[in-house]
Amino acid sequence: MAAGEPIKFGIIGCASIAQKVSRAIKMSPLSTLYAVGSRSLEKATTFAKDNDFPETTKIYGSYEAVLDDPEVYAVYVPLPTSLHLKWAVLAAQKKKHILLEKPVALSVEDLDVILEACKSNGVQFMDATMWMHHPRTPQMKQFLDDPENFGQLKSMYSTFTFDAPPHFIENDIRVKPDLDALGALGDLGWYCIRAILWAVDYELPNTVIASRNPSINGSGVLLSCGASLYWEDGKVATFVCSFQANMTMDFTATGTNGTLRLDDFVVPVAENKASFVKAAKSWWAKRLLGWMPRTSEHDVSTDLTQEALMVEEFSRLVNSIKTEGSEPDTKWPVYSRKTQLIVDAVKASIDKGFEPIEVVS
Ligand SMILES: *[C@@H]1O[C@H](CO)[C@@H](O)[C@H](O)[C@H]1NC(C)=O
Ligand SMILES: *[C@@H]1O[C@H](CO)[C@@H](O)[C@H](O)[C@H]1NC(C)=O
Ligand SMILES: *[C@@H]1O[C@H](CO)[C@@H](O)[C@H](O)[C@H]1NC(C)=O
């Protein structure tokens, strides 16, 4: 554990995802839950009570009040996407380090304003893509980087879907054009795109083409969509995201010698154990009666949940800025920006009648 006191977190907004992340802030040894603010004091009070916040937690009836509290060192921002630009920039100006919910912005132009504010104020930025912090993730990467057993990466496939109930399709903030205009693409496609970029070491594709016939709500918000991504060297990736199909969280990467596969990449089916499947140099068994060798399953256990590990990693970076005068880590903003660039390209392709969009960084 790094030296220094635990990082004092403020939460602005009481979205349902904040229940999970506030628990993670309490679980991580490097952070404490210090303050929570909502647009009404009553809502913040109820939220703190329902989620067993420490008695000492400061409760505020506005977001500004959290940002104005000099004791708050970092903020977790689970607000609807359309509010990220305003509040993340203000938080950076008040020198608060920022853990920002995804999708991070409505466009890469907005994100650039946020990242510039973080940079000029010397604060750490990280988006809340939790699965990146599971110990399973580096183990899978090790397999993808194994030239002998995985070989050269050729193709990827990813799906994140769930069957949202009618009240969600009609009323959730994730389908409101003024709050989360990116709909399923921002909420679910974000993870698929991140997984694809992670597998290729964040090398951007040249071209993105959205799949035809996305499902679009009456007010123009995407409920289901997909796209294919193409790289110069022939690599290709396809993803599908939807609020209108049964729960699925698949990721598959195929190399010249092996295949990686998992079916719970966003949220593992169990908190303390996750697994992935490897196939390496499989071939037909005798008389084409099966595979030899068969696929193998690899379990990875963890004491802390992936969201607590995320908070821990973020707090470790903040702590080293605070106590050692380190510069903010630059890889996290880069990952966010590249993911957002692809989100934007998919949206542009849909808007232009499924035309190929050249990705320009
Ligand atoms: C793939 O497997 C073959 C056969 O074992 C091996 O010769 C080769 O080096 C491996 N790697 C790649 C990148 O093909
Ligand atoms: C689309 O979303 C709006 C705003 O949430 C909602 O009022 C409307 O009922 C939805 N329309 C359809 C066709 O689902
Ligand atoms: C999703 O699939 C599971 C298992 O096949 C099934 O039990 C469940 O009812 C399905 N969910 C919905 C919302 O249809």
Side-chain angles (χ1 to χ4, degrees):
M1 203 201 288
E5 281 175 49
I7 298 300
K8 290 177 179 164
F9 267 78
I11 298 180
I12 61 175
C14 300
S16 51
I17 189 70
Q19 299 175 11
K20 184 168 178 168
V21 176
S22 59
R23 173 172 171 260
I25 293 169
K26 287 190 287 179
M27 283 162 79
S28 155
L30 303 186
S31 54
T32 55
L33 202 46
Y34 180 80
V36 59
S38 180
R39 279 173 301 170
S40 83
L41 191 60
E42 196 191 347
K43 199 172 167 203
T45 308
T46 309
F47 188 82
K49 204 180 201 178
D50 289 351
N51 291 287
D52 299 318
F53 280 22
E55 289 286 327
T56 52
T57 310
K58 297 271 187 304
I59 314 283
Y60 291 117
S62 75
Y63 308 145
E64 286 94 336
V66 176
L67 301 184
D68 284 334
D69 185 325
E71 291 286 312
V72 169
Y73 215 78
V75 284
Y76 166 60
V77 183
L79 296 171
T81 315
S82 61
L83 300 178
H84 287 188
L85 178 59
K86 175 178 174 186
W87 292 101
V89 167
L90 253 175
Q93 288 168 347
K94 307 255 181 189
K95 313 283 184 205
K96 312 298 184 195
H97 302 276
I98 303 170
L99 180 61
L100 185 59
E101 239 339 301
K102 38 53 58 183
V104 287
L106 292 174
S107 67
V108 79
E109 288 76 19
D110 283 4
L111 177 59
D112 282 345
V113 176
I114 296 173
L115 295 181
E116 184 48 44
C118 290
K119 197 174 169 197
S120 58
N121 288 287
V123 299
Q124 182 65 49
F125 173 94
M126 186 189 275
D127 73 43
T129 309
M130 300 168 182
W131 68 264
M132 303 273 299
H133 303 272
H134 197 287
R136 172 171 67 176
T137 303
Q139 291 202 23
M140 295 191 296
K141 196 69 190 36
Q142 208 173 5
F143 178 54
L144 296 182
D145 290 341
D146 178 349
E148 188 60 27
N149 292 304
F150 185 77
Q152 202 189 339
L153 181 56
K154 290 292 187 183
S155 67
M156 288 158 279
Y157 182 71
S158 183
T159 307
F160 186 8
T161 64
F162 58 78
D163 193 10
H167 66 82
F168 178 107
I169 295 288
E170 281 151 29
N171 270 314
D172 195 85
I173 59 168
R174 285 170 282 182
V175 297
K176 300 270 190 205
D178 53 337
L179 296 175
D180 268 300
L182 296 167
L185 176 59
D187 192 38
L188 312 180
W190 175 273
Y191 292 100
C192 301
I193 293 167
R194 172 61 62 81
I196 290 164
L197 291 174
W198 163 81
V200 300
D201 292 325
Y202 303 94
E203 176 196 356
L204 286 170
N206 298 74
T207 312
V208 170
I209 308 178
S211 311
R212 289 185 186 275
N213 301 331
S215 162
I216 297 178
N217 154 300
S219 48
V221 172
L222 288 162
L223 302 178
S224 299
C225 68
S228 292
L229 287 58
Y230 301 88
W231 284 258
E232 188 86 55
D233 66 358
K235 283 194 296 284
V236 55
T238 298
F239 78 87
V240 168
C241 58
S242 176
F243 291 138
Q244 299 169 306
N246 206 341
M247 181 100 107
T248 305
M249 304 178 189
D250 286 353
F251 181 72
T252 300
T254 309
T256 45
N257 279 4
T259 302
L260 167 78
R261 183 176 293 124
L262 66 162
D263 57 15
D264 61 353
F265 84 98
V266 181
V267 178
V269 288
E271 280 203 309
N272 56 357
K273 199 181 87 178
S275 65
F276 63 96
V277 171
K278 287 194 216 176
K281 300 191 181 178
S282 288
W283 190 244
W284 303 110
K286 211 171 170 184
R287 296 190 201 95
L288 313 182
L289 296 179
W291 293 34
M292 278 292 291
R294 296 162 71 152
T295 57
S296 57
E297 188 158 348
H298 298 261
D299 290 334
V300 183
S301 40
T302 180
D303 293 335
L304 280 180
T305 64
Q306 58 180 8
E307 57 276 11
L309 290 166
M310 170 181 77
V311 171
E312 190 178 35
E313 168 68 359
F314 176 78
S315 303
R316 192 180 61 72
L317 295 171
V318 170
N319 199 34
S320 100
I321 296 167
K322 187 180 173 194
T323 62
E324 291 155 39
S326 311
E327 291 293 316
D329 186 308
T330 52
K331 85 175 182 258
W332 296 106
V334 168
Y335 298 166
S336 305
R337 190 173 190 279
K338 289 190 174 187
T339 309
Q340 185 78 45
L341 270 175
I342 305 301
V343 167
D344 288 12
V346 175
K347 187 77 175 50
S349 180
I350 293 170
D351 291 346
K352 291 183 179 169
F354 315 102
E355 258 184 40
I357 301 294
E358 300 301 316
V359 178
V360 187
S361 63

